[in-house]
């Protein structure tokens, strides 16, 4: 290692990388001083509100805003659907936007939308997709795939086959900071947007066409974002509406952040997936055949396809699968942390767990035996190591028992296991690094910190490279006027920003050494920056403090840039170095107790063993996994976008009935990051998605282990647990 | 959570059914009667007869973090919206806006309260304490330090509410057990999943002494 100038420092030389370092914006956020988009209150602020359709499917005959316009305090009104033209605009989900108003007070804006009169022509709608037999006319074939001869494999008298039904309903993102913007026009051609976004450098262009302005005249600002999880890549109809409201108000700022119900209705849904599965193994547990018929909805526009059988896919010796899209009037789907993977994982790992039970095999043993079905040999090795680590941390060999829990009493305990994979390759991006004569160091890039710790990762990389403490580096992100960085999705950010800022910091350091070497009577290549000093290697006498060294710059700052390209040729890799990669593994074990009288599932413990290459900040990396486990408990036990068959509306667009886990609901969390030799060499890999993939499967498997029967679909609510027990549990 | 006294101001899921203004009109005559004999968590300053406020803007005086603020707003404005929209005090966040999630937690007379579920006019005459009182930008309450050290936040949008709830909880239970922490903070919700850090932060802050602003640690935490 370390034969390419940008390479990560060797383990023995790392002062910061891989340590537990507190996030650099932690005090700002925890003290309430951080300003999110929702907190922007520029002078002359107008408040925007949106009128939404109560119908799941309807034509709009007319919209009359005249009464709203007359209300004192109302400044501008925008109709958001092309009313008055043929064909009549059609609403495809309850909650779709009709019109927006801006007023001097928030309460007046709320009154004004009630005064807008809309004539609808209601049409038939379809909102419940779980029963495919009822979905005639709403389906579209999505994927048909086959490898080998699964039918023949299932016929083999020496195999054991398990059949089952598994499913995950639509859930929402439920970002705590709702989607939206605070928008104003500094002049008639330029737009300033405080956005709650995952793509500071990426979304400006979305405003350009609808508003007939240049993309580079749109300034996007987002210093803090209150959750995204994949749902905040678009400026959305309400972003455009806010800009139009502001324009017709003479450019005054308009704040238009969604209401909580709107957030749950329209601002993000994870597609559902249901599947009928057959899976077969030899009596020794060797998996041989898979067959599934699956379906799901992501609203009207179809949805992604869960990559089943997951994660083995075409490594399965024989498999066939068919997936069907179901169109529903429920609001559009958006990427939700590890798109399609938690669904695929529940379906596959649930089916394999049921097969293990039929084989009378320990599921950890079965997964260990089949680890070579992993997409590549490295991952197979990781799975074996992670299965071992997780099993140890969960006391698996002591606590696991064959189904069901046969001990006395009405509360039954069970353990379940699952494994997962995700890419996490870097996004492309750029940065600018400055070293100033006063000793200050700044790095700028048009990135964003969703709460994953992006700012902190950037500070660590630059500080490590320049031999500085973390707090000596000023990290400036969250503005589209800085060098563009990729959007934060798909676990691409940590790889992207660490690649660009490592190169930028090395370039800055080398230019700095070249500038000050004469003053030290040395060659630039003989200098090193360590412990807040610059010194000549091997000559303790020739040492300057960082500040003294910077003062040698005179009046000229060092300005350097760095980039992470989308890909590098083999030739480019020799000079640009390989700083990151993709393809991680992870294993999780859930330990639950099920009250067989009430059907309530309680989490005792969740264990995660997770790899992600070279970890920059162990503290925020562990937090990602802790958070993913908790988010996993939420969707495993509580979350569902419940649609009403009668009205076509969502029944729980609020936080009383759209349930999230509270602090007392998650049990003990044990996280083990796989680091060191064998892992670090892979460079930096993203971590946001992978650990949220397995919890649903692991928890569902644990419940099956406790009560002896599968609760087919998430969330594992008491009614479903009791129904499963009645159908043959604890036998 | 027992300590919280926010009540849901809207019954059902249809926010269009009853506006805040309609609710206030309907409730005005009744509440005067109730106030006379009922023990209420927040009682309005004693008035000789029922006073009908609004629907137009009225002068409102709010004592926040020791300072009196005089503003005009409609009587239907919640304390949360008064803080955020009228006074630019934005640490308390609006998330569920109906007394479920705790992101808007402030203290009223020392008790943690969902500010989305209290009208600003009701909060007059009471001592309102917001997250802003726990730091001055360079010095921070021990709870804030503990949240940072234990990484008890990710996106951070629920965090000021959590910090306020923790501060109030620790004021009442200076030496809590983990079980007490889980019960005491059950009135706050987080989407990113930071409860693991919160538990550790509260326990650590409990060992760090009493409420009050203190200097930040000099160097970043580098436990390895």
């Amino acid at each position: 290692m370390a034969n390419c100038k940008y390479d990560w420092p060797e383990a023995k030389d790392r002062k910061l990388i891989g340590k537990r370092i507190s996030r650099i914006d932690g005090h700002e956020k925890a003290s309430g001083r951080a300003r999110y988009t929702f907190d922007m209150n520029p002078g002359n602020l107008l408040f925007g509100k949106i009128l939404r359709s109560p119908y799941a499917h309807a034509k709009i005959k007319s919209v009359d805003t005249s009464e709203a316009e007359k209300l004192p305090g109302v400044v501008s009104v925008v109709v958001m659907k092309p009313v008055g033209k043929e064909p009549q605009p059609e609403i495809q989900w309850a909650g779709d936007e009709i019109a927006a108003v801006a007023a001097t007070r928030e309460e007046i804006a709320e009154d004004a939308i009630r005064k807008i009169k809309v004539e609808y022509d209601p049409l038939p709608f379809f909102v419940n997709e779980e029963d495919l037999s009822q979905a005639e006319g709403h389906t579209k074939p999505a994927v048909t795939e086959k490898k080998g001869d699964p039918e023949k494999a299932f016929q083999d008298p020496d195999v054991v086959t398990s059949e089952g039904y598994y499913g995950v309903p639509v859930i929402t993102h439920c970002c705590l900071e709702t989607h939206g913007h605070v928008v104003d026009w500094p002049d008639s051609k330029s737009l300033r947007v405080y956005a709650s976004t995952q793509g500071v450098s990426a979304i400006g262009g979305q405003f350009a066409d609808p508003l007939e302005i240049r993309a580079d005249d749109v300034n996007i600002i987002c210093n803090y974002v209150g959750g995204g999880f994949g749902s905040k890549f678009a400026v959305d109809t309400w972003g455009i509406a806010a800009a139009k409201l502001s324009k017709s108000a003479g450019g005054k700022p308009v704040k238009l952040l969604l209401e909580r119900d709107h957030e749950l209705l329209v601002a993000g849904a994870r597609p559902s997936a249901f599947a009928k599965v057959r899976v077969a193994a030899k009596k020794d547990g060797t998996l041989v055949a898979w067959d599934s018929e699956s379906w799901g909805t992501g609203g009207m526009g179809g949805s992604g396809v869960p990559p089943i059988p997951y994660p083995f896919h075409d490594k399965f010796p024989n498999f066939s699968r068919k997936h069907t899209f179901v169109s529903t009037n429920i609001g559009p789907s958006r990427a939700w942390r590890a798109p399609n993977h938690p669904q695929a994982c529940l379906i596959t790992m649930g089916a394999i767990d049921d097969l293990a039970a039929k084989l009378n095999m320990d599921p950890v043993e079965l997964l260990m035996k089949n680890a070579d079905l992993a997409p590549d040999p490295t991952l197979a090795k990781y799975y074996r190591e992670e299965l071992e680590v997780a099993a140890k941390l969960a006391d698996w060999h002591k606590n696991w028992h064959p189904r069901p829990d046969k001990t006395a009493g009405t509360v039954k305990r069970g353990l379940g296991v699952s494994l997962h994979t995700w890419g996490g390759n870097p996004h492309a991006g750029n940065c600018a690094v400055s070293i100033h004569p006063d000793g200050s160091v700044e790095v700028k890039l048009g990135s964003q910190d969703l709460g994953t710790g992006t700012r902190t990762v950037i500070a660590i990389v630059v500080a490590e490279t320049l031999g500085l403490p973390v707090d000596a580096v000023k990290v400036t992100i969250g503005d589209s006027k800085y060098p563009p960085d990729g959007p934060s999705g798909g676990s691409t950010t940590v790889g992207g920003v660490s690649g660009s800022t490592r190169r930028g910091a090395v370039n800055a350091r080398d230019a700095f050494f070249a500038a000050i070497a004469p003053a030290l009577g040395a060659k630039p290549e003989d200098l090193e920056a360590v412990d807040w000093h610059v010194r000549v290697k091997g000559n303790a006498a020739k040492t300057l403090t960082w500040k003294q060294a910077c003062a040698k710059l005179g009046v000229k700052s060092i300005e350097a840039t760095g980039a992470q390209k989308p890909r590098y040729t083999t030739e480019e890799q020799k000079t640009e170095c390989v700083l990151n990669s993709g393809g991680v593994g992870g294993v999780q074990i859930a330990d639950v107790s099920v009250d067989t009288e009430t059907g309530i599932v309680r989490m005792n413990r969740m264990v995660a063993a997770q790899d992600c290459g070279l970890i920059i900040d162990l503290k925020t990396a562990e937090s990602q996994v802790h958070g993913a486990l908790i988010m996993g408990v939420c969707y495993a036990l509580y979350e569902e976008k419940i649609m009403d068959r009668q009205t076509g509306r969502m029944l729980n667009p609020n936080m009383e009935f759209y349930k999230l886990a509270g602090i007392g609901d998650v049990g003990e969390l044990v996280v083990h990051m796989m680091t060191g030799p064998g892992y670090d060499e892979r460079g930096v890999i993203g971590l946001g998605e992978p650990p949220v993939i397995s919890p649903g499967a692991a928890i569902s498997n644990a419940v099956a282990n406790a009560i002896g029967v599968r609760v087919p679909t998430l969330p594992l609510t008491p009614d479903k647990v009791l129904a499963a027990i009645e159908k043959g549990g604890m036998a | 959570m027992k300590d919280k006294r926010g009540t849901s101001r809207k019954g059902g899921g249809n926010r269009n059914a009853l506006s805040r203004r309609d609710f206030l009109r309907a409730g005005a005559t009744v509440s005067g009667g109730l106030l006379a004999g009922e023990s209420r968590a927040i009682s309005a300053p004693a008035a000789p007869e029922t006073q009908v406020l609004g629907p137009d803007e009225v002068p409102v005086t709010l004592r926040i973090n020791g300072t009196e603020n005089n503003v005009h707003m409609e009587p239907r404005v919640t304390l949360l919206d008064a803080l955020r929209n009228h006074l630019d005090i934005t640490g308390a966040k609006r998330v569920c806006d109906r007394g479920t999630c705790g992101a808007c937690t402030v203290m009223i007379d020392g008790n943690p309260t969902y500010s989305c579920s209290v009208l600003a006019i009701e909060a007059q005459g009471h001592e309102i304490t917001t997250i802003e009182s726990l730091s001055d930008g360079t010095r921070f309450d021990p709870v804030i330090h503990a949240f940072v050290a234990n990484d008890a936040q990710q996106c951070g949008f629920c965090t000021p509410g959590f910090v306020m709830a923790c501060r109030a909880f620790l004021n009442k239970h200076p030496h809590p057990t983990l079980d007490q922490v889980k019960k005491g903070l059950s009135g706050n919700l987080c989407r990113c999943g930071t409860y693991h850090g919160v538990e550790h932060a509260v326990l650590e802050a409990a060992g760090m002494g009493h409420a009050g602003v203190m200097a930040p640690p000099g160097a970043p935490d580098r436990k390895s």
Side-chain angles (χ1 to χ4, degrees):
Chain A
M1 261 186 102
N3 50 12
C4 183
K5 72 171 176 175
Y6 299 119
D7 271 343
W8 298 113
E10 289 185 44
K12 64 179 173 53
D13 298 326
R14 291 175 209 145
K15 297 272 165 62
L16 301 169
I17 288 174
K19 306 283 191 286
R20 288 192 176 86
I21 295 173
S22 294
R23 60 183 70 221
I24 61 172
D25 51 3
H27 284 88
E28 205 64 12
K29 294 205 284 190
S31 64
R33 307 176 71 84
R35 287 261 175 173
Y36 295 73
T37 301
F38 215 134
D39 302 328
M40 292 298 161
N41 279 330
N44 295 318
L45 181 63
L46 302 174
F47 294 87
K49 294 276 172 186
I50 294 175
L51 176 69
R52 302 181 286 279
S53 166
Y55 297 104
H57 189 197
K59 284 193 169 157
I60 306 174
K61 288 154 79 174
S62 68
V63 177
D64 177 1
T65 61
S66 57
E67 289 300 310
E69 284 163 42
K70 280 184 217 156
L71 201 64
V74 171
V75 179
S76 47
V77 179
V78 170
V79 177
M80 296 169 73
K81 289 282 184 284
V83 182
K85 293 180 199 157
E86 288 297 328
Q88 288 175 337
E90 201 169 316
I91 295 291
Q92 295 283 9
W93 56 85
D96 197 359
E97 299 79 27
I98 309 289
V101 304
T104 51
R105 294 280 202 226
E106 189 165 14
E107 298 77 30
I108 296 173
E110 207 166 301
D111 290 344
I113 58 167
R114 290 197 187 90
K115 291 194 178 294
I116 298 171
K117 296 189 187 77
V118 185
E119 276 186 292
Y120 297 95
D121 198 353
L123 297 166
F125 56 83
F126 180 71
V127 295
N128 301 97
E129 80 287 10
E130 187 180 344
D131 183 353
L132 197 58
S133 69
Q134 300 291 309
E136 206 186 316
H138 302 282
T139 62
K140 195 171 86 180
V143 168
T144 308
E145 226 182 335
K146 193 175 170 183
K147 180 194 163 191
D149 192 343
E151 277 320 306
K152 195 177 154 203
F154 281 118
Q155 300 305 325
D156 184 338
D158 286 334
V159 306
V160 173
T161 300
S162 171
E163 289 187 42
Y165 168 59
Y166 310 88
V168 185
V170 173
I171 68 170
T172 80
H173 295 68
C174 196
C175 303
L176 293 198
E177 180 184 37
T178 58
H179 285 61
H181 312 82
V182 179
V183 180
D184 69 351
W185 295 78
D187 61 61
S188 65
K189 288 203 168 97
S190 45
L191 185 69
R192 176 168 49 197
V193 183
Y194 295 93
S196 185
T197 183
Q198 296 179 232
V200 165
S201 299
I203 64 168
Q206 296 177 36
F207 284 101
D209 285 352
L211 299 170
E212 296 175 343
I213 53 174
R214 289 162 52 101
D216 57 5
D217 285 331
V218 181
N219 182 203
I220 305 292
I221 302 161
C222 176
N223 280 309
Y224 299 95
V225 53
F229 315 111
S231 68
K232 287 182 177 168
F233 295 112
V235 305
D236 289 306
T237 60
W238 47 84
I240 305 299
K244 288 180 175 171
L245 288 168
S246 169
K247 184 140 206 180
S248 61
K252 279 186 188 168
V254 170
K255 178 191 277 190
L256 208 173
L257 278 289
L258 300 187
E259 306 298 315
R260 175 54 44 192
D261 55 353
H262 202 184
E263 178 74 15
L264 272 71
L265 287 170
V266 304
R270 184 175 83 174
S272 61
F274 301 92
K276 290 175 182 159
V277 176
R278 280 187 301 157
V279 58
K282 291 182 195 163
K283 285 175 181 138
D284 68 356
T286 307
L287 292 166
V288 292
W290 172 277
D291 173 59
S292 61
E293 192 186 336
S294 56
W295 65 98
T297 189
M300 290 307 289
S303 60
V305 177
I308 43 181
Y310 173 85
F312 310 128
H313 198 224
D314 58 8
K315 289 289 178 84
F316 238 90
N318 305 283
F319 89 94
S320 57
R321 68 160 177 157
K322 192 176 117 188
H323 187 80
T324 303
F325 286 148
V326 185
S327 292
T328 52
N329 303 94
I330 65 162
S333 68
R334 298 183 180 213
W336 193 101
R337 203 170 178 182
N340 308 308
H341 283 59
Q343 301 94 315
C345 189
L346 182 276
I347 290 166
T348 314
M349 290 294 141
I352 288 176
D353 188 72
D354 286 346
L355 178 61
K358 208 164 171 182
L359 287 161
N360 290 318
M361 252 186 106
D362 175 338
V364 166
E365 217 174 284
L366 188 142
L367 290 175
M368 197 71 98
K369 190 170 192 72
N370 290 283
D372 285 328
L373 296 183
D376 65 64
T378 311
L379 204 50
K381 174 177 167 281
Y382 289 170
Y383 282 150
R384 289 199 177 91
E385 291 173 10
E386 287 162 352
L387 280 163
E388 205 166 300
V389 168
K392 196 172 164 203
L393 291 171
D395 278 327
W396 178 273
H397 299 294
K398 183 175 138 237
N399 293 328
W400 182 82
H401 52 74
R403 292 181 189 178
D405 177 359
K406 295 190 184 71
T407 55
T410 54
V411 176
K412 303 295 182 187
R413 184 177 176 191
L415 269 68
V417 61
S418 174
L419 51 76
H420 55 260
T421 183
W422 182 261
N425 286 288
H427 67 215
N430 306 275
C431 73
V433 180
S434 315
I435 302 172
H436 298 297
D438 65 359
S440 60
V441 172
E442 186 172 14
V443 53
K444 292 180 180 168
L445 57 160
S447 193
Q448 52 281 320
D449 189 335
L450 273 56
T452 50
T454 305
R455 267 191 188 87
T456 311
V457 160
I458 294 168
I460 292 169
V461 168
V462 175
E464 177 83 63
T465 306
L466 300 178
L468 300 173
V470 173
D471 49 9
V473 177
K474 182 177 176 190
V475 179
T476 306
I477 60 171
D479 194 315
S480 62
K481 67 176 182 273
Y482 304 133
D485 187 52
S488 289
S491 302
T492 60
T493 306
V494 68
V497 301
S498 62
S500 66
T501 57
R502 170 68 177 171
R503 292 188 181 93
V506 168
N507 292 342
R509 183 192 65 196
D510 290 353
F512 178 47
F513 286 171
I516 64 164
L520 278 155
K523 291 182 195 154
E525 58 269 28
D526 292 335
L527 300 185
E528 61 180 359
V530 187
D531 295 337
W532 224 340
H533 287 78
V534 176
R535 65 189 187 204
V536 179
K537 288 176 204 165
N539 185 350
K542 289 194 174 181
T543 299
L544 295 175
T545 66
W546 176 262
K547 268 200 159 183
Q548 288 167 337
C550 289
K552 304 275 181 209
L553 289 171
V555 293
K556 198 170 176 300
S557 296
I558 298 294
E559 306 285 351
T561 59
Q564 172 67 40
K565 290 189 198 166
R567 62 194 67 79
Y568 294 93
T569 63
T570 315
E571 202 51 39
E572 285 171 327
Q573 284 178 4
K574 288 179 194 159
T575 53
E576 293 298 307
C577 319
V578 181
L579 300 180
N580 34 48
S581 62
V584 303
V587 168
Q588 294 181 7
I589 291 174
D591 178 341
V592 305
S593 288
V594 184
D595 186 324
T596 56
E597 291 184 323
T598 64
I600 290 172
V601 178
R602 296 289 304 172
M603 298 304 306
N604 299 324
R605 184 155 62 171
M606 280 291 284
V607 170
Q610 180 68 49
D611 65 270
C612 64
L614 176 68
I615 291 173
I616 302 286
D617 181 5
L618 187 53
K619 186 180 271 195
T620 49
E622 286 170 338
S623 285
Q624 276 299 294
V625 184
H626 283 128
L629 293 176
I630 291 172
M631 218 166 175
V633 171
C634 290
Y635 76 73
L637 298 185
Y638 307 116
E639 286 183 68
E640 180 173 6
K641 181 173 184 172
I642 303 170
M643 298 303 300
D644 181 22
R645 198 177 291 276
Q646 304 300 325
T647 62
R649 296 191 205 175
M650 181 181 178
L651 289 170
N652 54 344
N654 51 57
M655 291 177 72
E656 305 92 281
F657 300 109
Y658 189 88
K659 293 284 187 193
L660 301 178
I663 195 167
D665 297 324
V666 299
E668 183 196 356
L669 306 176
V670 181
V671 170
H672 182 92
M673 302 305 296
M674 309 294 285
T675 60
Y679 291 92
D680 294 0
E681 296 85 345
R682 310 183 76 205
V684 179
I685 312 177
L687 178 62
E689 335 285 304
V692 87
I693 297 170
S694 268
I699 294 169
S700 179
N701 291 345
V703 170
N705 181 247
I707 63 174
V709 66
R710 174 72 45 184
V711 181
T713 61
L714 302 184
L716 304 165
T717 49
D719 57 327
K720 288 196 236 172
V721 171
L722 291 176
I725 290 171
E726 201 172 305
K727 272 177 92 177
M730 299 186 297
Chain B
M1 183 183 168
K2 188 166 77 176
D3 288 343
K4 298 245 166 104
R5 53 167 119 65
T7 51
S8 181
R9 69 168 180 276
K10 290 171 204 152
N14 185 354
R15 57 180 304 112
N16 292 332
L18 191 65
S19 75
R20 217 168 258 176
R21 184 187 292 234
D22 294 337
F23 177 80
L24 202 72
R25 275 185 188 139
T29 47
V30 190
S31 66
L34 274 178
L35 279 175
E38 297 282 324
S39 161
R40 295 236 329 201
I42 296 178
S43 54
E49 58 196 57
T50 304
Q51 193 191 356
V52 179
L53 297 176
D56 295 328
E57 296 196 351
V58 295
V60 175
T61 302
L62 296 172
R63 191 171 165 78
I64 303 161
N65 304 329
T67 305
E68 298 247 313
N69 296 268
N70 296 303
V71 271
H72 285 75
M73 65 188 71
E74 291 185 35
R76 59 175 159 166
V77 173
T78 62
L79 174 58
L80 175 65
D81 288 348
L83 292 170
R84 295 179 53 81
N85 293 347
H86 293 261
L87 295 161
D88 197 27
I89 297 171
T90 57
K93 306 298 185 213
R94 193 165 90 190
V95 173
C96 74
D97 205 20
R98 50 206 284 172
T100 303
C101 75
C104 65
T105 301
V106 300
M107 287 188 233
I108 295 183
D109 299 333
N111 294 312
T113 305
Y114 293 146
S115 63
C116 75
S117 302
V118 176
L119 292 174
I121 53 170
E122 289 181 285
Q124 296 184 101
H126 297 274
E127 198 65 46
I128 301 156
T129 313
T130 71
I131 182 81
E132 282 78 7
S133 70
L134 298 189
S135 77
D136 61 9
T138 52
R139 295 178 305 156
F140 300 88
D141 186 277
V143 171
I144 295 173
H145 286 312
F147 264 61
V148 177
N150 292 279
D151 209 31
Q153 57 184 337
Q154 287 189 33
C155 87
F157 209 68
C158 72
T159 311
F162 251 114
V163 169
M164 285 304 281
C166 288
R167 179 73 274 159
F169 170 75
L170 287 173
N171 289 349
K172 248 183 199 165
H173 309 278
H175 306 290
T177 63
L178 183 58
D179 276 349
Q180 285 176 317
V181 171
K182 284 173 190 275
K183 279 200 182 71
L185 294 175
S186 62
N188 291 67
L189 294 173
C190 168
R191 183 47 157 162
C192 300
T194 57
Y195 302 136
H196 182 82
V198 172
E199 287 172 5
H200 286 80
V202 182
L203 294 175
E204 183 177 314
M208 285 167 75
H210 298 294
V213 163
M214 65 176 270
D221 169 24
R222 277 182 220 158
K223 285 182 275 180
S224 55

